[in-house]
Amino acid sequence: MKPARPELLAPAGSMEALRAAVENGADAVYLGAHAFSARGYAANFSDKELEEAIDYAHLRGVKVYVTVNTLLRDGEMEAALDLLCRLKEMGSDAVLVQDIGLLSLGRQYVPDLPLHASTQMTLHNSEGALFTKELGIERVVLSRECSLEEIKRIGETSGLETEAFIHGALCISYSGQCLLSSIIGGRSGNRGYCAQPCRKGYRLKKDGKTVKTEGTYILSPKDLNSSPCIPALLKTGISSLKIEGRMKRPEYVAGVVGTYSRLLDRCLEDTKKCSVSRKEAETLEQLFNRGFTEGYFFKNPRGELMSRLRPYNRGVFAGTVKSYDSKSRRVTVELKASLSAGDGILFAGTDREGREEKEEGWVIRQMYRGNKPVKQANSGDTVEIPFNVEVRPGNPVYRTLDKGLMDTLEKSYTSETSLRKIPVLMKAGVWEGKPLELTLWDSDSNSVTVKSEYVVEKALRQPGEKEQLARQFSKLGNTGFEPETIDVDVHGEVFVPVKEINQLRNRAVSELEKLRIVRGKRKPCPEPGIKLPKLAAWPHPEQPLLAVSVYSPGELEEAIDGGADLLYYGEGLFCSGKGRERDKAFHFEADYERAVRMVRAAGRKVYFKTPRIVKDPEMLAVSEILEAAKALAADGVLVSNLGVFRLAKARGVPVILDSPLNVFNSYALDFFCKKGAERVTLSPELTLEEIGPLAAAGPAEAIVHGRLELMESEHCVVGGLLGGKKERCTAPCRNGNYALVDEKNYEFPLVMDPACRMHLLNSKALCMLEYVPKLLDARVASIRIETLGMSRKEKEEQGIRELTRMYRAAIDIYLEKGKTGNWTCDKLGKGFTTGHYFRGVK
């Protein structure tokens, strides 16, 4: 039995890219409005352009999904819902969302608009998919880190449509879990404005000393290329194959979509034909690549995932520099690929000491072979190219732009003759003394029948033949239709002027076009402008609580002595430093019973921490934490993903939600509280001013101290660089403390976990000690100290016990006497940050 053809889903950052996708075989496209799109720097579409795009695609049998997949502020929610209403009316086939507040309100106010869960929701396990299904989600865009086996399992377990990226740029962090751009420059990836700091240069340090690495772009992944994986992807039952690239030019979209469309057709026709041709492989490589990888589909690629030498397009290897003549200013190149006038090339390489040289790009205007000017040269030729910068012999030359290819691809979507045709059945009736009649049916069960004002005449000379009339009726020309069959019913000896046939046929085509467009439309929302009712205020506690996250029994004891009300206990979640044995799955050796005894003896509360990322096979270990919480009568668990939240509620374990769930507005907070969360940790991208209205809607927690986790990655930089070439890493992280250092010399600590995932922490610790009164005035239910990543020096100088005492005192003196006290971050040392509390994000 042949597998079903999955949808080929293409990016469209502009109308030109949309046409390129449609004309080259896309089954669906995804695009963004001017607001609330996770690609805020793309051209995107105005309301008028959105409707034109949807109509254009629907006319040609292509679906359109619109991205409204950013986190939303309270003041943006009504505008986002209005956008959903307009998209529903325009006929958008679905909308992608990230924000859980918009998701819950969208189901309430726009119930007949299909919603897809964006990859920004970090869905990577079956429980998480089931959680979204219960909210009305029809399709989940899975995390790029999911294997083919995991894609299949999640689809079969949840019964949802599954979508996965198959080509284009990769993020080093799990999507939706990266704060690096946000913290460094205030441009939030969760709000659609990622500045891609992962493509910058970094140094690796071990125990304070720089480690020599091959290349400095050690957070920059290669590009995903799944063309060799199509047969295996088809076996997973996946619903949609997604190409990344809303920031790419239309020619890129045309070339990549066309290649995958042809490949899919061949695979479904005959699996023996399912290989990528040499020409197709070169096209994909030429259009854009930082080197290619199959990602995580089959295994963890470890170091093979990364493009450490250069973080940008390298094109196709075109040859090697033989010499440079400084007098004529010409570089001699021995070619391994063809070059033509108008092509773009890149001279790369290293200096005599092996250091990376500045790479130089050039557009070929002139080229010589044997001192004769030529417009084209082939592999094996030696050519001279005028170039003003000296380059070293032996350095590689890359063709970064193939002008001939780009011109061909451009014609595919700019030609007046459409490549994309809808097959139609045609039936014409030609009766003497009656009007002409023509009926068109398309493959989507649309049909139109039109009649002429002209009355068919009797032929005075030679009557029109059936075949001749059929040929004239079937001339659909540059329309979006092509005749599959045509039946002409002729009665009598008739004569029909060609002009009358053409007019009738054109009317029928126009009516069918209108019908195809109109059938995609939906009724408008009942009211043009949605006005959300004010959320009911919750009863604020008189005494806000002080929470502390700790990772060992000793730290737990210090936090209790310091006056913590709540303890989040995460022993075994991380394994930085020496002496920790690790394997490829979570297993916890935490002494939960001892922890509960210690906390209970002090009259405090304890919640067991659970991981941010939990694949299906790891759910067993998390289930053990949930069972331990129940058996030991702990107060509950701290949860960081939707799957564990669903599992915990099903097991009857009380839950506090952690910051990775990106609660950015009061509607998301209200939703989670109604779903049973005791308290919700707010997004660290919120300002103090924004926290107040949110805290009014439910019990909110704010992180006030410690190193924020800026990303979690399936790729471990340390293991990729230093863990050997074999499939299993030698775990070098057991023997030292590691950090990444950026171009401005800021140092970002790294910690690893038992599943070999890497956690990148902020270079500066957050400290809001002197602003505790402002947080209390905002009526948060609790404030939290995070101790992950505290260095030995920090623990010796301030200690968790003393740090907790200072925050405890700041809370108590303000609540008892209304005074702010004299506690400041300066007393704890230097180099602290207030994060986004006063600057916010774009």
Side-chain angles (χ1 to χ4, degrees), residues 160-195:
L160 286 169
E161 295 181 8
T162 53
E163 179 177 308
F165 285 93
I166 60 163
H167 197 93
L170 288 170
C171 291
I172 184 64
S173 172
Y174 274 86
S175 292
Q177 301 303 313
C178 185
L179 299 177
L180 188 59
S181 174
S182 168
I183 287 293
I184 288 176
R187 291 188 279 182
S188 170
N190 286 317
R191 297 271 295 164
Y193 293 103
C194 178

Side-chain angles (χ1 to χ4, degrees), residues 205-226:
K205 274 190 173 183
K206 175 185 177 181
D207 297 330
K209 296 181 180 179
T210 297
V211 177
K212 186 177 181 180
T213 61
E214 181 187 8
T216 59
Y217 301 102
I218 55 181
L219 287 180
S220 180
K222 295 176 181 176
D223 287 346
L224 181 64
N225 179 356
S226 304

Side-chain angles (χ1 to χ4, degrees), residues 47 59 71 136 160 170 250 254 281 298 337 342 389 391 431 448 460 562 595 625 629 699 831:
D47 271 16
L59 177 59
L71 297 183
L160 286 169
L170 288 170
F298 296 104
V389 180
V391 288
W431 297 277
V448 295
L460 298 179
I625 298 178

Side-chain angles (χ1 to χ4, degrees), residues 22 74 91 96-97 150 158 182 373 419 440 488 513 519 552 555 717 723 758 785 796:
V22 170
D74 274 9
L96 287 87
V97 296
E150 289 160 351
S158 68
S182 168
L419 299 175
L440 301 182
V488 180
E513 287 177 342
R519 285 192 64 173
S552 72
E555 294 174 353
V717 165
M758 178 186 75
I785 298 170
E796 290 173 353

Side-chain angles (χ1 to χ4, degrees), residues 90 263 545 551 745:
M90 291 176 195
L263 184 56
L545 302 175
Y551 300 89
N745 220 32

Side-chain angles (χ1 to χ4, degrees), residues 483-534:
E484 186 172 344
T485 63
I486 178 164
D487 178 20
V488 180
D489 190 7
V490 180
H491 292 269
E493 295 185 348
V494 297
F495 168 75
V496 183
V498 170
K499 180 181 76 171
E500 297 296 338
I501 293 177
N502 291 345
Q503 287 180 349
L504 187 67
R505 183 191 61 235
N506 293 343
R507 277 181 53 207
V509 166
S510 178
E511 291 299 318
L512 186 57
E513 287 177 342
K514 291 176 184 176
L515 183 57
R516 288 181 64 83
I517 291 171
V518 169
R519 285 192 64 173
K521 309 289 185 184
R522 303 185 189 89
K523 292 181 180 180
C525 290
E527 297 180 9
I530 293 175
K531 298 296 180 185
L532 293 171
K534 189 175 182 180

Side-chain angles (χ1 to χ4, degrees), residues 101-113:
L102 179 63
L103 171 54
S104 61
L105 291 171
R107 290 274 52 89
Q108 179 182 345
Y109 286 93
V110 200
D112 52 344
L113 176 64

